[in-house]
């Protein structure tokens, strides 16, 4: 979508083990000020933040302290960090988050842009999307997103032309 843009990837699950903070640092080190780092990561809250007992308490990766420190470093060094809100239908304003997502407390602000999932038709919050006053914006995430890489929407010429029409989530 951006002419002549470079895309580089950094994994949070390398052979050495799961490490989101290291992936964020590696991504930040690959680029210069003004570059965008998109975090397609989420983590679990350590308490019931959505009123269910399913333990699907998915929230932004910055709930992990080491990931938040890496995000703060990246944004302080001029990188634009965009992160998924998480697919846990959690309210980030709950007391259990200990004010870590308080948008009025600059000491808690990672500098990242947090994006929730919205419904295409109503433009309301998607039922699974984590939310709260710290979520900056939302974008379509309601099982109606067309994307590449897999799927049965169109795939007659092989995997390089696979499309799916039901991708969803805050990563969408």
């Amino acid at each position: 979508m951006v002419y002549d843009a470079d895309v580089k990837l950094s994994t949070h699950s390398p052979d050495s083990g799961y490490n989101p903070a290291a992936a964020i640092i590696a991504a930040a080190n690959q680029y210069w000020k003004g570059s965008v780092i998109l975090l397609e990561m989420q983590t679990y809250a350590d308490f019931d933040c959505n009123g269910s007992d399913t333990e699907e308490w998915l929230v932004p990766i910055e709930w992990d302290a080491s990931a938040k420190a890496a995000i703060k470093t990246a944004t302080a060094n001029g990188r634009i960090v965009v992160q998924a809100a998480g697919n846990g239908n959690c309210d980030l304003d709950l007391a259990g988050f200990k004010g870590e997502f308080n948008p009025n407390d600059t000491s808690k602000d990672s500098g990242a842009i947090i994006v929730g999932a919205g419904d295409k038709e109503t433009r309301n919050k998607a039922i699974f999307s984590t939310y709260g006053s710290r979520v900056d914006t939302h974008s379509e995430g309601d099982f109606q997103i067309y994307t590449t890489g897999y799927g049965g929407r169109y795939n007659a010429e092989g995997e390089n032309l696979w499309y799916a029409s039901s991708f969803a989530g805050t990563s969408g």
Side-chain angles (χ1 to χ4, degrees):
M1 295 182 69
V2 177
Y3 176 75
D4 206 27
D6 288 332
V7 175
K8 296 183 181 181
L9 303 173
S10 181
T11 182
H12 62 288
S13 294
D15 292 338
S16 58
Y18 180 74
N19 192 337
I24 295 164
I25 292 166
N29 288 336
Q30 290 182 54
Y31 282 110
W32 49 90
K33 289 182 179 181
S35 296
V36 177
I37 300 170
L38 176 60
L39 303 180
E40 298 288 342
M41 309 173 186
Q42 55 190 353
T43 192
Y44 287 95
D46 53 1
F47 68 98
D48 183 351
C49 56
N50 63 15
S52 74
D53 58 0
T54 63
E55 296 186 17
E56 295 293 322
W57 308 324
L58 296 165
V59 297
I61 193 64
E62 72 174 55
W63 177 238
D64 175 273
S66 61
K68 187 169 192 171
I71 293 167
K72 280 185 156 187
T73 299
T75 59
N77 286 301
R79 292 358 176 241
I80 300 165
V81 177
V82 179
Q83 69 177 306
N87 296 330
N89 190 32
C90 291
D91 181 354
L92 298 177
D93 296 330
L94 291 173
F97 287 112
K98 303 171 185 140
E100 288 298 318
F101 295 103
N102 180 348
N104 301 314
D105 185 345
T106 56
S107 71
K108 306 290 184 179
D109 187 2
S110 68
I113 299 166
I114 299 179
V115 183
D119 180 78
K120 180 178 184 176
E121 302 299 324
T122 67
R123 299 182 186 241
N124 292 325
K125 178 187 86 64
I127 60 171
F128 54 81
S129 183
T130 291
Y131 60 97
S133 57
R134 177 61 181 86
V135 176
D136 298 294
T137 188
H138 73 271
S139 184
E140 185 179 348
D142 61 355
F143 297 98
Q144 298 182 57
I145 300 171
Y146 280 73
T147 191
T148 59
Y150 67 95
R153 184 70 180 173
Y154 178 81
N155 58 12
E157 281 89 28
E159 68 183 52
N160 289 333
L161 293 175
W162 286 353
Y163 289 88
S165 60
S166 60
F167 186 72
T170 54
S171 293

